């Protein structure tokens, strides 16, 4: 597990109600807290977050955005050097969104006693994907450090993207599983999403006096095609490796070389081609020894691996985040609520099967709500899905667009709901002809026709959202 909240991985303070004696940002610093016999104009200097003495009802709190959103497994509350000014109790709330105004808070650690100058550790069993945490202290006082360890669950934008991504990034689940030497610093530092700030913030081995070379094995966040590596030796000026080589594997045992021994320069981002081979594990060898600040493994994830990560993401969403995911596929709240209730899903195919089952149970009110979530054919708005699906109207003539506006109006006047048609791959002229034909139907027939189109639209959107191939 890694600390999902520290400054090293991009964690940051979002809000707090008080930091009179010591700044809240100290909570997420990487370095252990220290003691100093120093005083400021507000009192003794403390390495942590400390609020003023509360004279009114209530309690103090701070909200922190995780640098790496994911599932929380362990929380550490460190009150080191807070001996007469620590909180009596604390609790921890989490939310699955990154907007404070829309946050719905879920308590994962209830109000619990704290002691002074100790590190208290707590296991967390909650399965949800967390974006922000709220630390509550009762009634006031100081906390030196907050650690939130767990498993990364990458955002949708980092899984099956249009452009290549860093497959080894800790944010997408990349992790070090083995290494030849950890003498000066741990190789996991190479996978942080932030830029290196010094030699200590990378991987450095001892000076090798015997034959051979040092190496590290990284399990990629997703199996994928590796196009090139960036061997970042920033800050390593007299102790960078002389050369590097790399191998890929699907099982971590049988290896295929993808980078032959190539020289790298000190204090530089060295770009090294990897030939487009596919694997789940990467073994980077440094010859003979030395230090690397960051390792980037750029390529495209395998669709099956990306789909599995997306399903894990979907299963872990809660509150508004879960509702937004499904609402992007279908605007029926009945359908959305039932899909959320039917989790967890084992595979992407299972999501599609359940979606169809839920559609079978929809009544007319649910279908009409789903239809109302679509823009009219020929109209473009803020709905990226609809704009992508209706790309066939982008080259239509003005006359065709005028005819679409007219047929949309006549259809709504007759049936009382928006004209729904599976637009992907169809031209504006084709959709216009279909609408004219369907105007001859009765309302019962048209609800059935529109329902069938809605099923197809939703299935295609879900496939795209789950990284499955869309025909």
């Amino acid at each position: 597990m890694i600390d999902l909240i520290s400054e090293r991985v991009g964690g940051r303070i979002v809000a707090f109600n008080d930091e009179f004696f010591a700044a809240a940002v100290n909570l997420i610093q990487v370095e252990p807290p220290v003691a100093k016999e120093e005083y400021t104009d507000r009192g003794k200097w403390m390495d942590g977050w400390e609020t003023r003495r509360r004279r009114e009802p209530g309690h103090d709190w701070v909200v922190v955005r995780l640098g790496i959103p994911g599932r929380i497994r362990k929380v550490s509350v460190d009150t080191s050097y807070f001996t007469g000014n620590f909180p009596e109790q604390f609790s921890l709330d989490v939310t699955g969104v990154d907007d404070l105004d829309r946050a719905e808070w879920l308590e994962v650690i209830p109000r619990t006693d704290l002691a002074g100058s100790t590190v208290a550790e707590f296991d967390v069993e909650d399965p949800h994907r967390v974006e922000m945490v709220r630390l509550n202290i009762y009634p006031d006082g100081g906390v030196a450090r907050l650690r939130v360890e767990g498993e990364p669950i990458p955002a949708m934008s980092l899984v099956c993207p249009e452009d290549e991504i860093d497959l080894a990034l800790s944010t997408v689940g990349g992790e070090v599983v083995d290494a030849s030497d950890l003498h000066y610093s741990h190789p996991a530092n190479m996978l942080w999403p932030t830029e290196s700030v010094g030699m200590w913030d990378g991987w450095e081995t001892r000076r090798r006096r015997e034959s051979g070379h040092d190496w590290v094995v990284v399990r990629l966040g997703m199996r994928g095609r590796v196009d090139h590596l960036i061997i970042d030796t920033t800050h390593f000026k007299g102790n960078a490796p002389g050369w590097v080589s790399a191998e890929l594997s699907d099982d971590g045992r049988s290896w295929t070389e993808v980078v032959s021994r190539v020289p790298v320069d000190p204090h530089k981002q060295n770009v090294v081609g990897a030939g487009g081979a596919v694997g789940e594990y990467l073994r980077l060898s440094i010859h003979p020894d030395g230090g690397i600040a960051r390792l980037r493994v750029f390529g495209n994830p395998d669709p099956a691996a990306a789909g599995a990560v997306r399903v894990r993401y979907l299963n872990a969403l809660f509150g508004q985040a879960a509702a937004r995911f499904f609402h992007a596929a279908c605007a029926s709240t009945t359908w959305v609520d039932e899909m959320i209730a039917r989790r967890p899903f084992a595979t992407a195919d299972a999501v599609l099967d359940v979606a169809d089952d839920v559609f079978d149970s929809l009544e007319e009110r649910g279908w009409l709500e789903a239809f109302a979530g679509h823009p009219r054919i020929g109209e473009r708005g803020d709905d990226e899905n609809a704009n992508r699906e209706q790309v066939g109207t982008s080259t239509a003539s003005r006359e065709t667009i005028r005819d679409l506006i007219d047929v949309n109006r006549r259809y709504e006047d007759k049936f009382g709901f928006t004209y729904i048609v599976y637009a992907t791959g169809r031209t504006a002229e084709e959709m216009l002809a279909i609408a004219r034909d369907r105007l001859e139907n009765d309302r019962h027939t048209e609800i059935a026709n529109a329902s069938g189109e809605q099923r197809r639209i939703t299935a295609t959107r879900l496939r795209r959202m789950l990284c499955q191939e869309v025909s």
Side-chain angles (χ1 to χ4, degrees), residues 69-186:
R71 178 184 177 186
I72 298 174
R73 291 295 191 90
K74 181 181 176 181
V75 171
S76 302
V77 181
D78 184 348
T79 57
S80 293
Y81 308 112
F82 287 89
T83 56
N85 51 350
F86 60 91
E88 290 184 333
Q89 296 176 318
F90 89 101
S91 66
L92 191 77
D93 306 323
V94 302
T95 182
V97 299
D98 62 359
D99 183 344
L100 194 59
D101 293 333
R102 293 186 294 108
E104 298 173 295
W105 295 100
L106 174 68
E107 184 179 74
V108 294
I109 300 179
R111 195 159 165 166
T112 303
D113 291 344
L114 283 175
S117 203
T118 60
V119 178
E121 297 182 343
F122 306 87
D123 293 329
V124 176
E125 298 298 330
D126 186 77
H128 296 115
R129 180 183 187 270
V130 174
E131 290 263 8
M132 297 191 296
V133 300
R134 182 171 62 193
L135 174 67
N136 305 297
I137 58 174
Y138 305 91
D140 53 35
V143 176
R145 297 288 187 271
L146 177 66
R147 301 289 184 237
V148 176
E149 297 177 80
E151 305 163 359
I153 301 179
M156 288 177 62
S157 60
L158 291 177
V159 184
C160 44
E162 295 181 2
D163 298 321
E164 64 182 12
I165 64 169
D166 181 1
L167 297 170
L169 196 65
S170 58
T171 309
V172 301
E175 62 176 340
V176 169
V177 295
D178 200 4
S180 62
D181 187 281
L182 292 76
H183 184 79
Y184 287 110
S185 49
H186 199 285

Side-chain angles (χ1 to χ4, degrees), residues 245-262:
S245 59
E247 302 155 283
L248 282 176
S249 171
D250 267 332
D251 57 11
R253 295 186 296 273
S254 177
W255 297 91
T256 300
E257 186 176 71
V258 295
V259 176
S260 299
R261 184 165 159 152
V262 297

Side-chain angles (χ1 to χ4, degrees), residues 322-336:
R324 285 204 308 273
F325 181 95
F326 285 111
H327 190 271
C330 176
S332 166
T333 55
T334 303
W335 182 87
V336 168

